[in-house]
Amino acid sequence: MGERLDRSAGIAEPGTTQISATGGRASGPSHPVRAINRVFHGRRRLGAGSLLGAPLGWMMFVYVGSLLLLVVSALYRLDPKTQKPTHDLTTDNLVAAFKFWDPDVWPAVWVFFRTAAVAMLVTAICFVIALPVAFFVAKVAPRWIRRGLIVAMLMPLWAGYLVKGYAWRAMVSPAGGRFAAAGQGEGGFLESVFGWSPGFGRTAIVVALVYLWLPFMVLPIYAGLDRLPPSLLDAASDLGAKPFRTFRSVILPMLLPSVAAGSIFTFSLTLGDYIVPQIVNNGQERFMFGTIINATLGAPNQPLAAAYTLWPLVIIILYLVAMKRAGAFDNL
Amino acid sequence: MKLSLPARLALGGFTLLTLVFLYLPLAVVLRLSFNPAKSVSWPGFNGYTLDWWRKAWESDGPKDALINSCKVAFVAMVLALILGTLAAMAMARFQFFGKNAVSFLMVLPIALPGIVTGIALQNTFSRTFDLGLFSFRVGFGFHSLVIAHATFCVVVAYNNVIARLRRSSPNLLEASADLGAHGTQTFRYITFPLMRSALLAGGILAFALSFDEIVVTTFTAGSGFETLPQWILANFSRPQNVPLVNVMATFVMVVSIPLAYLAQRLSDSGTD
């Protein structure tokens, strides 16, 4: 497309000068705006470069630069006396973070694998909930309420991350728990209304994480289903496919990029999360890997914490590359 | 595809349940902010009180944190809008080598866990960079938060603007050039009006994203500067402050949900 535009711009040029010479707008050749426009005219590479310069420079210097420095800082030796990183390079931290067959290292690595398993579980649950919901909204619900429904699904995303974590604390908090000391302690909403609550702990963590990221899965699946031509579904049923067969052979394969897009959020956001998990398990257990990283940083052992962050960093970059292959980025 | 009535009803019922799941916890916090008792226990029919709202209004801690959050979010939003719009214009209009890598780079800060971004930026900001002629250290405070927040907010502005530019016809730009407009005029009379509502939507979402952020914030704020999420995190486990946390949490909800709704409407307004 670029070349085509180039040529048409080339043809338009003499006309341009003529019109502005007679029309009088933007004045003569010495006008600074005009001069700038002349410099950019037809020079597409210069145009792209000057637009992209600032954002790309920012992202490279501030972000990619920081990530590289983080990797470098994982190679610094910690001075045992001052507990500050020195500039002596060592691979000790990498060994301490990645040599999982070492019994001293295994506990932390195990927490990472457990966190990855939780991320997969949360992704799977989000998928199982999001699919029927998105299907209902995109294909079954009366047309006039579709927009309203999808907006209603998305709005809780903006209620605030901490607010939602805190809300789940208020939901699951058990009777006679810590808040009983503060006065009336009949327990949180679930306990006092239904007489049952999972309490603070692992179940609460999974529920709260599903709650947090569910809209990220609903939206791309909805968009994917919305783009699915109804004629395709009609064709399947004309050919004798029952709804389940249509779903399995037509809808699901076409939805794959959308699901991949949704899973980027559900998987990677869960993998790195640790604040809401600590809120809803009342700090009882260092359940998520992020908690370990945070505790190591506060130890203080910045180099080891930096080495630990390489686990999620590497896994998520690999995951993103895989999902990009699956077409997820066009569905974000 | 014809679904039987029971199947459709089941899907509808399931959707309704999901909506209940999404809104019930928020409703609980809303109700608790009017709860006379000082706990997160469900109040039953204990009545209502506006005391906590008044107390939150009168105390300085949450109010200062709120103002800090707004300041950071506003500056980060402006930066993110500028950077995101420039990137979106380049990506929508030009083909160049490494374009895929750039789109990957834009998404990276929200796809990578906040703790990775946070520790990486904290490490950078705490270093002294010696450039020979002079040396500098970014340090911590308002400015470090703005830099950090702008970095992950760029993607929201970028996504909104590029979606709009992709939807709008390139013929408009050609027509503008055919009619003799030069680059600045085309931007002023064609491109900018096309993007205006997308910019507003992107701006609101970037503001909301920054306003809400906690993980990167805890690593890049330093000790002298507290945002509202930090205040909430520091106070929800202090029994005497739980009522104020309920109020501030409710406040965040009732302000940001309508704003997000507005942003949604604005970013749709460009569709035909």
Side-chain angles (χ1 to χ4, degrees):
Chain A
M1 189 192 96
E3 237 181 293
R4 195 169 57 88
L5 265 180
D6 253 344
R7 232 177 291 132
S8 68
I11 296 164
E13 188 165 36
T16 316
T17 349
Q18 204 183 3
I19 289 168
S20 38
T22 48
R25 182 177 255 168
S27 73
S30 63
H31 193 283
V33 173
R34 195 95 184 95
I36 292 171
N37 279 309
R38 185 157 300 155
V39 170
F40 281 102
H41 196 99
R43 296 195 171 101
R44 303 188 58 84
R45 200 173 291 172
L46 184 67
S50 55
L51 283 175
L52 211 51
L56 196 58
W58 179 287
M59 297 306 278
M60 291 304 285
F61 274 109
V62 178
Y63 199 62
V64 178
S66 293
L67 290 178
L68 292 177
L69 280 180
L70 180 71
V71 176
V72 172
S73 79
L75 298 172
Y76 288 158
R77 188 187 304 280
L78 193 75
D79 185 333
K81 276 190 212 121
T82 60
Q83 293 198 303
K84 287 207 168 115
T86 61
H87 285 204
D88 303 332
L89 298 183
T90 173
T91 53
D92 290 358
N93 303 307
L94 295 180
V95 171
F98 284 87
K99 195 181 173 191
F100 55 86
W101 53 93
D102 186 325
D104 291 337
V105 176
W106 173 247
V109 176
W110 156 240
V111 175
F112 177 74
F113 286 137
R114 181 169 70 191
T115 306
V118 171
M120 283 188 261
L121 178 66
V122 167
T123 302
I125 297 176
C126 284
F127 172 71
V128 168
I129 299 177
L131 189 64
V133 167
F135 188 81
F136 177 79
V137 178
K139 296 288 176 203
V140 181
R143 206 162 277 281
W144 58 273
I145 58 166
R146 280 181 196 174
R147 264 232 65 74
L149 276 176
I150 199 68
V151 170
M153 291 283 165
L154 295 185
M155 284 308 113
L157 264 187
W158 300 100
Y161 166 84
L162 266 187
V163 173
K164 285 180 280 189
Y166 177 71
W168 273 98
R169 195 182 165 85
M171 291 288 281
V172 301
S173 117
R178 198 168 155 194
F179 291 100
Q184 299 84 342
E186 300 89 13
F189 180 82
L190 292 175
E191 184 70 51
S192 39
V193 174
F194 299 104
W196 176 87
S197 149
F200 297 132
R202 296 182 175 189
T203 314
I205 291 179
V206 173
V207 172
L209 289 171
V210 167
Y211 178 81
L212 279 172
W213 316 132
L214 180 63
F216 284 112
M217 189 61 107
V218 174
L219 182 65
I221 295 186
Y222 165 79
L225 284 168
D226 196 43
R227 278 197 301 266
L228 205 70
S231 54
L232 223 55
L233 305 184
D234 293 340
S237 71
D238 287 351
L239 292 169
K242 297 253 160 52
F244 182 73
R245 180 67 201 269
T246 310
F247 175 74
R248 198 171 54 107
S249 308
V250 181
I251 300 179
L252 212 52
M254 292 193 74
L255 273 185
L256 217 59
S258 310
V259 177
S263 78
I264 287 181
F265 290 101
T266 55
F267 180 80
S268 75
L269 290 175
T270 305
L271 196 64
D273 204 350
Y274 69 101
I275 291 187
V276 160
Q278 288 303 106
I279 292 178
V280 298
N281 83 351
N282 208 19
Q284 289 164 353
E285 176 191 23
R286 288 180 180 171
F287 186 66
M288 305 293 278
F289 192 60
T291 321
I292 304 272
I293 301 179
N294 195 35
T296 312
L297 190 72
N301 191 343
Q302 200 276 340
L304 183 59
Y308 280 149
T309 60
L310 298 180
W311 273 107
L313 188 70
V314 169
I315 296 296
I316 285 170
I317 288 182
L318 290 179
Y319 192 77
L320 283 178
V321 171
M323 292 302 113
K324 195 168 167 68
R325 288 259 167 89
F329 279 44
D330 307 322
N331 290 278
L332 281 180
Chain B
M1 189 160 84
K2 289 267 182 296
L3 282 176
S4 63
L5 185 66
R8 277 180 285 157
L9 285 179
L11 282 171
F14 187 74
T15 306
L16 196 65
L17 265 180
T18 307
L19 280 173
V20 171
F21 171 67
L22 285 174
Y23 282 92
L24 184 64
L26 302 180
V28 167
V29 174
L30 179 77
R31 173 65 183 90
L32 283 173
S33 77
F34 301 105
N35 184 23
K38 262 196 170 186
S39 69
V40 298
S41 294
W42 183 245
F45 297 97
N46 281 351
Y48 294 82
T49 177
L50 280 170
D51 286 358
W52 307 121
W53 282 82
R54 199 180 57 236
K55 214 169 157 211
W57 176 250
E58 283 162 0
S59 38
D60 289 333
K63 222 192 302 175
D64 290 346
L66 176 67
I67 293 169
N68 282 344
S69 275
C70 288
K71 280 188 200 158
V72 172
F74 182 79
V75 183
M77 172 196 80
V78 172
L79 275 170
L81 273 181
I82 295 171
L83 296 171
T85 307
L86 288 173
M89 284 173 67
M91 297 289 280
R93 207 183 297 167
F94 301 108
Q95 299 297 327
F96 52 86
F97 176 74
K99 196 169 166 175
N100 276 328
V102 176
S103 78
F104 194 79
L105 185 60
M106 291 289 162
V107 186
L108 206 55
I110 49 162
L112 280 184
I115 190 165
V116 175
T117 307
I119 294 182
L121 292 174
Q122 182 191 47
N123 175 49
T124 305
F125 295 164
S126 65
R127 273 169 191 251
T128 306
F129 292 94
D130 195 349
L131 300 179
L133 284 176
F134 66 101
S135 63
F136 74 97
R137 182 178 173 276
V138 177
F140 297 94
F142 172 75
H143 62 289
S144 61
L145 270 185
V146 165
I147 297 173
H149 282 205
T151 305
F152 61 75
C153 286
V154 168
V155 64
V156 219
Y158 168 80
N159 273 348
N160 265 276
V161 175
I162 201 163
R164 176 66 51 86
L165 290 177
R166 281 195 183 132
R167 278 206 302 264
S168 55
S169 156
N171 295 344
L172 287 172
L173 301 184
E174 288 178 23
S176 163
D178 286 350
L179 292 170
H182 52 64
T184 337
Q185 285 171 329
T186 303
F187 179 79
R188 190 172 150 198
Y189 296 109
I190 310 290
T191 318
F192 184 72
L194 268 177
M195 313 191 290
R196 194 159 37 206
S197 60
L199 280 173
L200 204 52
I204 294 174
L205 295 183
F207 187 94
L209 193 65
S210 160
F211 189 80
D212 181 33
E213 216 287 333
I214 177 69
V215 183
V216 176
T217 308
T218 52
F219 291 110
T220 53
S223 50
F225 197 86
E226 192 181 47
T227 65
L228 187 59
Q230 282 179 294
W231 183 87
I232 293 179
L233 188 61
N235 284 283
F236 76 84
S237 54
R238 294 181 190 154
Q240 75 277 16
N241 278 348
V242 162
L244 295 190
V245 172
N246 286 328
V247 170
M248 294 318 284
T250 306
F251 180 80
V252 171
M253 281 185 323
V254 297
V255 172
S256 42
I257 291 187
L259 274 177
Y261 179 72
L262 179 69
Q264 187 82 41
R265 292 295 299 269
L266 284 168
S267 67
D268 285 341
S269 65
T271 26
D272 352 273

